[in-house]
Amino acid sequence: MKIDISKSLFEKAQQFIPGGVNSPVRAFKAVGGDPLFIKKADGPYLYDEDGNAFIELINSWGPLILGHNHPAIKEAILKATELGTSFGAPTAKEIEIADLITQMVPSVEKVRMVNSGTEATMSAVRLARGYTGKDKFIKFEGNYHGHGDSFLIAAGSGAITMGMPNSPGVTQGTARDTLLAPHNDLKAVEELVEANKGEVAAIILEPVPGNMGLILPKKGFLEGLRKLCDREGIILIFDEVMTGFRLAPGGAQEVFDVTPDLTTMGKIIGGGMPVGAYGGKKEIMEFVSPTGPVYQAGTLSGNPIAMAAGYAMLKHLHDNPSIYQELDKTGGKIVGGFKDTLQRLGLNYSMTHLGSMFSLFFTDKEVVDFETAKSCDTQLFGKYFQAMLSRGVYLAPSQFESFFLSTAIKDEHVQHIVQANEDSLKEVLDIY
Ligand SMILES: Cc1ncc(COP(=O)(O)O)c(C=O)c1O
Ligand SMILES: N[C@H](C=O)CCC(=O)O
């Protein structure tokens, strides 16, 4: 594979940008080699500056559930740009998207738009603290909620990929109010709440974590958290930045039928533009400024182009619910193909799958939390990543990320991906 142009761009980028990238996981540090510089994308394909084409399973880290350049979204963006790029004032489109979100996610009675998932989670926890008058909150090991200070403790995604689950720069004072629990361990959470009785404002979690690879909730875990929060007056926050509008129109809360008090959203909600949102019970959301005392603002929040893209995306999903069955089928075919290969090659690596998300973990343990996720052979993953790349399949460059499907992936791509997986495993494990 020719990568001369990407290589020289990366050299130049490092002169002006820390590590040559604007988000750490993009640097390929965990998988070796230099990152590819992307020139364009269409449907299921990414094209790099050297002219290589890849079927991709990242989709911009989740947002592009319809693949690249979907006509409905492209048209909405182009139309919106004709009217201006930013007004810093209310628009009709903001009402339309808020209305649609409340229909698709019934636990969200009111919603505030922000510019990223990070802003959404920071704001939701501030709101929970302001509303309850309590300072502490519980997060789960290996869950990732963006790069707000109080979340960079035992964080998943790029933080663990870079070997920095606890980031320097987060003060001890901040860290003290973040209580940590092992994911999927209800008893540990109950004990933590008991030990901090009356002091916990919120429990925040990815209901289906995708930031230590894809991990499924154990039976009764989400329901148990709901009961605990009700009993103790704690705000339950589902961080659905990744799972929202991806696992179902109403996200993981619809799939598992557990209703949080607040939900954070991002990725798909912006149709590929930088958008986040948080919403929930009217009574809690009324606590946000200007109706309430909890301050939160944004110069570009509700940006008209981003709202147009997000609305077009959500409307398409809302009007075409069969998309979710289609994605689940595609996921089933790929995961089924991978599992067949693993069996034939006598390998017992662990796999998880839900709808349009899946993971291949290079460990024989069942991956249910941060500890088991960390048992993966990350060096082997790096070799596998490179082997897949050389066969035209672009994966997330880390063992601690989920793979994402889009509707642009059809049967011919599935076949290519399954074959590439078999050939890559044989290559990296020296199986002939
Ligand atoms: C579950 C979850 N929450 C929050 C975030 C932060 O979102 P953003 O990267 O848009 O700030 C991410 C992804 O980065 C995420 O996956
Ligand atoms: N896993 C992260 C978000 O979901 C990946 C995005 C990033 O850190 O650049």
Side-chain angles (χ1 to χ4, degrees), residues 7-278:
K7 254 185 174 321
S8 77
L9 285 172
F10 188 45
E11 265 164 38
K12 191 158 185 196
Q14 289 174 88
Q15 289 173 34
F16 306 111
I17 304 172
V21 290
N22 280 314
S23 196
V25 276
R26 296 179 196 173
F28 278 24
K29 281 211 173 215
V31 291
D34 292 336
L36 302 179
F37 280 65
I38 303 304
K39 185 168 189 174
K40 61 176 188 173
D42 200 40
Y45 293 106
L46 277 184
Y47 300 90
D48 71 8
E49 291 280 356
D50 289 277
N52 301 303
F54 305 93
I55 299 171
E56 71 134 333
L57 295 177
I58 311 186
N59 288 292
S60 192
W61 304 89
L64 302 177
I65 192 167
L66 305 177
H68 295 275
N69 264 343
H70 188 277
I73 293 156
K74 195 164 152 182
E75 191 193 326
I77 293 174
L78 292 176
K79 252 174 125 175
T81 55
E82 283 169 12
L83 303 175
T85 53
S86 181
F87 313 129
T91 63
K93 208 47 150 193
E94 289 168 290
I95 312 172
E96 281 182 58
I97 192 168
D99 185 356
L100 187 54
I101 292 166
T102 60
Q103 289 175 47
M104 292 174 81
V105 192
S107 74
V108 174
E109 294 170 346
K110 284 203 166 188
V111 59
R112 170 61 64 82
M113 305 305 297
V114 292
N115 302 290
S116 68
T118 297
E119 274 188 58
T121 54
M122 285 184 341
S123 308
V125 167
R126 184 187 309 133
L127 174 57
R129 285 170 159 161
Y131 181 78
T132 58
K134 300 184 236 171
D135 288 346
K136 296 183 180 173
F137 75 93
I138 294 176
K139 92 169 266 291
F140 291 88
E141 292 165 356
N143 280 215
Y144 180 70
H145 304 294
H147 60 90
D149 284 3
S150 59
F151 299 119
L152 288 180
I153 298 154
S157 186
I160 178 66
T161 303
M162 299 293 139
M164 292 179 294
N166 307 308
S167 173
V170 175
T171 64
Q172 281 183 9
T174 298
R176 217 175 4 246
D177 288 332
T178 303
L179 307 175
L180 272 184
H183 198 87
N184 265 331
D185 187 342
L186 186 58
K187 195 157 170 282
V189 189
E190 286 169 343
E191 285 168 7
L192 203 52
V193 168
E194 198 50 38
N196 294 273
K197 192 100 182 147
E199 294 181 273
V200 179
I203 294 179
I204 185 169
L205 77 158
E206 297 182 66
V208 180
N211 283 297
M212 42 182 163
L214 175 71
I215 288 186
L216 302 178
K218 279 190 180 165
K219 204 163 182 286
F221 178 59
L222 298 175
E223 294 84 346
L225 291 179
R226 179 64 276 174
K227 278 194 194 131
L228 177 65
C229 287
D230 286 342
R231 198 175 68 221
E232 301 291 333
I234 295 170
I235 305 289
L236 181 61
I237 307 172
F238 276 6
D239 180 355
E240 297 233 39
V241 166
M242 206 177 246
T243 51
F245 314 103
R246 176 164 280 283
L247 294 181
Q253 56 196 271
E254 179 182 326
V255 175
F256 293 97
D257 195 20
V258 176
T259 306
D261 301 304
L262 292 177
T263 300
T264 54
M265 295 159 270
K267 299 194 190 269
I268 287 177
I269 207 174
M273 301 294 284
V275 180
Y278 64 105

Side-chain angles (χ1 to χ4, degrees), residues 65 104 244-250 268 317-318 320-329 355-356:
I65 192 167
M104 292 174 81
F245 314 103
R246 176 164 280 283
L247 294 181
I268 287 177
L317 295 172
H318 175 265
N320 298 279
S322 61
I323 279 176
Y324 293 96
Q325 280 100 55
E326 190 191 312
L327 285 167
D328 189 40
K329 245 190 190 163
S356 60

